[in-house]
Amino acid sequence: MRKTFIAIIAAVVAALAISCAEDKGNYDYHAINEVTISGIKTGETMTKVSFIDHLVIDPQISSSMGKNSENDYEYTWKMMPAGVDFDKIEDIDATIISRERKIDQLVTWEPGDYSVFFIVKDKDNGLCTTASFKLRVKSTTSEGWMVLCDNNGRSRMDIIFNVDADNDLIAHDVWQSSDFNPGRPEKIIFNYTIYETAALLVTDKSTYNLDVTDLHAGEDNELKWRFGIPPEGLRVQASAMSQFSINNLWVLVNEKNEVYVLDRSVNNSVFEFPVNKVDGTKDFKAAPFVGVSYNNVYSGGYGCAPAVLYDMTNRQFLVIRNNSHYPSPIAFSGATMFTAQTGRDIVWMESAKDGRIYSLLRDPADNRLYFYCFELRANYTPGSYWWEEGTYEEYNVQHYYGEVLGNGLATATMYAINHQFPYIFYVSNNTIYQFDMGHPEEQAKEVLSFPGETIKCIKFCPMVAWESYEDWERQRGYQLVVGTTKDGADKADCGVVRMYEVPNLMAPLVKLKEYQGLGDIVDIAYKERKK
C-alpha cells in the first residue's frame, strides 16, 4: 500500500513538472508605469499661519513610460489630524482639500498638527502613488506673546506672534470687535500642564479663563464657574498647576488672600472652599504667590508636594502635601541654610524651569532684601511586589540663601528670576539691575534703562519640556522680556516690548528683538500652543 501511494505522488509531481514546462511562454508580461513625485519634502514639518499664509506646493510628476501629461493622472490632496487612525474616519471625503496637481489655497484650518497626503492615480491602470508631509498650523491667538494693555479703562490684548526665528507678526487689539467689556486690566497669567491650560485675564471686575482658540473673554468663560459656589468679583492674584505630584492640583490665591485648590485628578472637580488653615487649625493669610515644581521624573521631581505657599500672618513657607487638604510648614532635608519660619515679608516668588523655587523676602526690622531658593523632591520606595504601588517620601532641598546687595533695593518694585542662571533682576527708579546669587558678595549692577520711557513689567516665560520646540523657540524661555511705554505718547501705540539674551558670567545683555506701536502695557505672558 505504501509503495502504491509513493508511486501516485511521484506521478502527480511528474505531471506538474511537464505541465509547467509546456506552459513556458504562455503569459504576456507588460511593464507597469512607475510614477515618481518630487517637490514635496517628505518627512519634514511645514509651518503655516492660519488666515495669513497660503499652502502652495507645485509637485512634479515623472513617469517611467514617458506619460508626463497632466491629463494622464488624477490628483487628490488629503489632510487629517496627526495621529488619527485613517480607518476610523467616518467621512473620508471631508479629508480632501484639493483635486488639482498644484495646490495654492489660504490656510483656514484650526491650529494643530496635521498629516497631508498627495495621491497621484494613473487613469490607465488605477495604480496610486503617494507622497506625504507634516503640516503645523498656527494662529496669532493659538500661541504667542500676550501683551495686556489698558485702553482707557478697558482691557486690550495685543499679540506678538513669532512665525520663525527671524520673522514676526503683531496683532493689535484682538478684542476690538467685541462688545463685551471685561473691565480694567490688572494682570495676565498662563498655566500649562499636559492635560490642561489656563490663560487667565484678571481685571477689576472678574477673572476670565480665555478661550483656547481665539482668546475671547466673556461671561461664558469667567473662572467663577469652576467654583462650587461661584464668587462674584473674583480677582486671582496667583495661579499654578502642579505636574509631577501624586495629586496634581490647581492652586490659586484670590484678592482676599484666600487659597483655593482644585484636584485635577478628579473628573469635574471644582474649587470648593478656602484652605487657609495651617495643618487645618491655625488661620493665615496667603501671599499672592504659588510655587510648583517644573522638575521632571528623571531628577527626583516626580511624586513631590504639589504646591508651595507663603503664610503672611506667621511669616513662613508652607507646602500642600500629597493626600493632604490643608497646607503645613515645609520641611527640608540635607544641608539647610534657613528654616521655614523666616520672620520676613515676601515680595516675590517664581518657579523656575529647572524645578527650583526662588523667593525674595524683606526683613521688616531693617528693610534688607534676602533671596531663598529650594526645590521640591521625593524619594520613591517600590512596593514589596511588582503589582503593589510604591510610596513617595517628600524630601525638599535648599540651594541658595543670602542677602541681595545693590543700589535701589529699598524702592524696588518689580522682580524676575532667570531660569538658566542664578540671576535676579529688579527694577528701581525706572532702572533694571542684575544680581548674581552665585556670587552674593558682589553688588547688583545696572544693566538697562530707557530714557523717555517707563518700565511696566519684566518677565521670564519658561517653555514647557514636553512640547517639541525648535531650539530658537525654546531659547525664548531664557530671554528677559521688558515692557515699557513712551512718556507722553498716544496711549494707543505707546508700548514697546524688547527681548534680551542673558549670557553667562554676568556678561552684558544682548538685545535680540524690539517691537514698537503696542498699547499701554500692563503685563506680558507667553501663551504656549496646546499639545
Side-chain angles (χ1 to χ4, degrees):
M1 178 67 182
R2 185 171 181 274
K3 291 182 179 180
T4 303
F5 179 75
I6 293 174
I8 294 173
I9 293 298
V12 172
V13 171
L16 288 173
I18 295 172
S19 175
C20 290
E22 292 176 348
D23 197 39
K24 281 185 177 181
N26 289 342
Y27 293 101
D28 291 329
Y29 294 94
H30 299 282
I32 296 177
N33 182 38
E34 296 183 3
V35 173
T36 302
I37 302 172
S38 60
I40 294 178
K41 296 181 179 180
T42 302
E44 295 189 10
T45 298
M46 181 183 298
T47 300
K48 296 293 180 181
V49 183
S50 186
F51 293 100
I52 293 177
D53 291 336
H54 280 71
L55 179 62
V56 181
I57 304 177
D58 187 8
Q60 302 302 309
I61 310 300
S62 59
S63 163
S64 62
M65 298 181 63
K67 295 175 59 178
N68 297 322
S69 171
E70 196 162 319
N71 295 326
D72 291 333
Y73 305 98
E74 294 178 356
Y75 309 96
T76 306
W77 292 86
K78 291 186 177 183
M79 188 179 81
M80 61 193 69
V84 171
D85 189 343
F86 187 84
D87 295 332
K88 294 182 179 179
I89 297 178
E90 297 181 359
D91 186 2
I92 297 298
D93 289 339
T95 67
I96 298 174
I97 58 176
S98 176
R99 291 190 182 276
E100 303 292 328
R101 180 187 61 81
K102 178 181 177 180
I103 187 170
D104 183 350
Q105 65 184 68
L106 180 67
V107 174
T108 59
W109 306 291
E110 291 186 1
D113 291 339
Y114 297 88
S115 297
V116 183
F117 303 89
F118 176 56
I119 305 167
V120 179
K121 180 179 180 180
D122 190 324
K123 291 181 179 180
D124 290 337
N125 58 32
L127 296 179
C128 294
T129 304
T130 302
S132 65
F133 65 95
K134 302 294 184 182
L135 176 65
R136 173 166 290 159
V137 177
K138 300 181 178 181
S139 77
T140 54
T141 55
S142 66
E143 61 179 290
W145 299 97
M146 300 182 292
V147 184
L148 181 63
C149 306
D150 188 335
N151 183 17
N152 296 317
R154 291 175 64 101
S155 294
R156 164 178 163 173
M157 180 71 78
D158 292 351
I159 302 290
I160 301 172
F161 178 79
N162 305 132
V163 178
D164 52 40
D166 302 311
N167 299 290
D168 309 289
L169 297 170
I170 298 180
H172 296 279
D173 197 0
V174 298
W175 297 329
Q176 62 181 325
S177 61
S178 174
D179 294 329
F180 182 76
N181 180 12
R184 182 183 295 276
E186 294 184 350
K187 64 175 60 181
I188 187 79
I189 303 170
F190 184 72
N191 296 150
Y192 186 15
T193 68
I194 292 177
Y195 305 105
E196 186 171 13
T197 64
L200 303 181
L201 166 66
V202 184
T203 74
D204 61 347
K205 291 183 178 180
S206 188
T207 298
Y208 306 85
N209 192 356
L210 301 177
D211 185 82
V212 173
T213 302
D214 63 13
L215 284 182
H216 84 265
E219 294 180 357
D220 60 315
N221 56 22
E222 283 190 77
L223 189 62
K224 70 179 184 180
W225 304 122
R226 297 294 298 269
F227 284 71
I229 302 176
E232 294 299 327
L234 172 66
R235 292 162 52 228
V236 172
Q237 302 303 297
S239 171
M241 298 178 182
S242 63
Q243 175 66 46
F244 299 112
S245 304
I246 303 302
N247 302 112
N248 283 313
L249 308 177
W250 184 355
V251 182
L252 59 83
V253 180
N254 69 6
E255 75 285 356
K256 300 176 182 178
N257 303 107
E258 296 172 333
V259 180
Y260 285 86
V261 175
L262 183 153
D263 189 342
R264 297 189 299 109
S265 63
V266 178
N267 290 333
N268 301 316
S269 60
V270 296
F271 294 106
E272 295 179 344
F273 52 84
V275 295
N276 292 67
K277 288 183 180 296
V278 179
D279 292 324
T281 60
K282 191 174 183 179
D283 293 336
F284 75 96
K285 284 190 175 183
F289 306 103
V290 179
V292 295
S293 174
Y294 290 132
N295 213 339
N296 60 37
V297 297
Y298 301 109
S299 52
Y302 190 80
C304 67
V308 170
L309 303 166
Y310 193 78
D311 173 358
M312 295 194 303
T313 305
N314 304 290
R315 293 190 171 112
Q316 60 181 340
F317 287 106
L318 303 177
V319 65
I320 300 178
R321 295 190 166 92
N322 291 302
N323 303 314
S324 177
H325 192 73
Y326 292 101
S328 304
I330 192 170
F332 295 103
S333 302
T336 57
M337 296 169 278
F338 55 87
T339 62
Q341 294 74 29
T342 68
R344 293 169 176 154
D345 300 321
I346 192 168
V347 298
W348 188 248
M349 181 185 289
E350 186 163 344
S351 303
K353 181 178 171 57
D354 61 3
R356 298 177 180 183
I357 299 172
Y358 294 87
S359 299
L360 298 175
L361 281 74
R362 194 176 294 281
D363 196 311
D366 54 20
N367 209 34
R368 291 182 176 179
L369 191 66
Y370 294 83
F371 59 88
Y372 296 71
C373 175
F374 56 87
E375 185 175 359
L376 301 178
R377 290 187 178 181
N379 276 323
Y380 177 71
T381 302
S384 301
Y385 302 96
W386 65 266
W387 63 83
E388 289 184 348
E389 184 176 355
T391 59
Y392 291 88
E393 180 184 0
E394 174 187 341
Y395 79 101
N396 308 309
V397 296
Q398 299 181 4
H399 291 288
Y400 293 105
Y401 170 74
E403 183 180 358
V404 182
L405 302 177
N407 295 326
L409 288 169
T411 56
T413 55
M414 304 175 207
Y415 308 90
I417 311 294
N418 183 260
H419 292 216
Q420 189 172 23
F421 306 117
Y423 300 156
I424 299 170
F425 291 84
Y426 66 90
V427 178
S428 180
N429 298 319
N430 210 36
T431 300
I432 300 178
Y433 294 85
Q434 181 181 1
F435 177 80
D436 185 358
M437 288 178 279
H439 297 277
E441 70 283 357
E442 298 182 7
Q443 296 259 333
K445 67 176 184 177
E446 180 180 332
V447 291
L448 292 172
S449 62
F450 307 94
E453 300 179 28
T454 300
I455 300 172
K456 291 299 189 75
C457 66
I458 60 173
K459 285 286 186 73
F460 287 100
C461 299
M463 304 294 161
V464 297
W466 51 85
E467 274 292 357
S468 56
Y469 286 121
E470 297 181 29
D471 289 343
W472 70 267
E473 292 179 296
R474 193 164 297 285
Q475 285 302 313
R476 296 172 301 177
Y478 304 116
Q479 296 166 8
L480 177 65
V481 182
V482 182
T484 67
T485 54
K486 296 181 179 179
D487 301 337
D490 190 326
K491 297 294 185 183
D493 56 6
C494 66
V496 183
V497 173
R498 298 175 176 92
M499 313 284 186
Y500 293 88
E501 178 186 352
V502 181
N504 198 3
L505 303 175
M506 292 286 283
L509 304 184
V510 180
K511 187 172 74 171
L512 301 174
K513 293 188 176 183
E514 179 176 315
Y515 307 95
Q516 302 265 354
L518 299 158
D520 188 5
I521 296 174
V522 174
D523 200 4
I524 301 172
Y526 191 84
K527 179 181 184 291
E528 300 188 62
R529 56 176 174 257
K530 189 173 184 294
K531 189 173 180 67

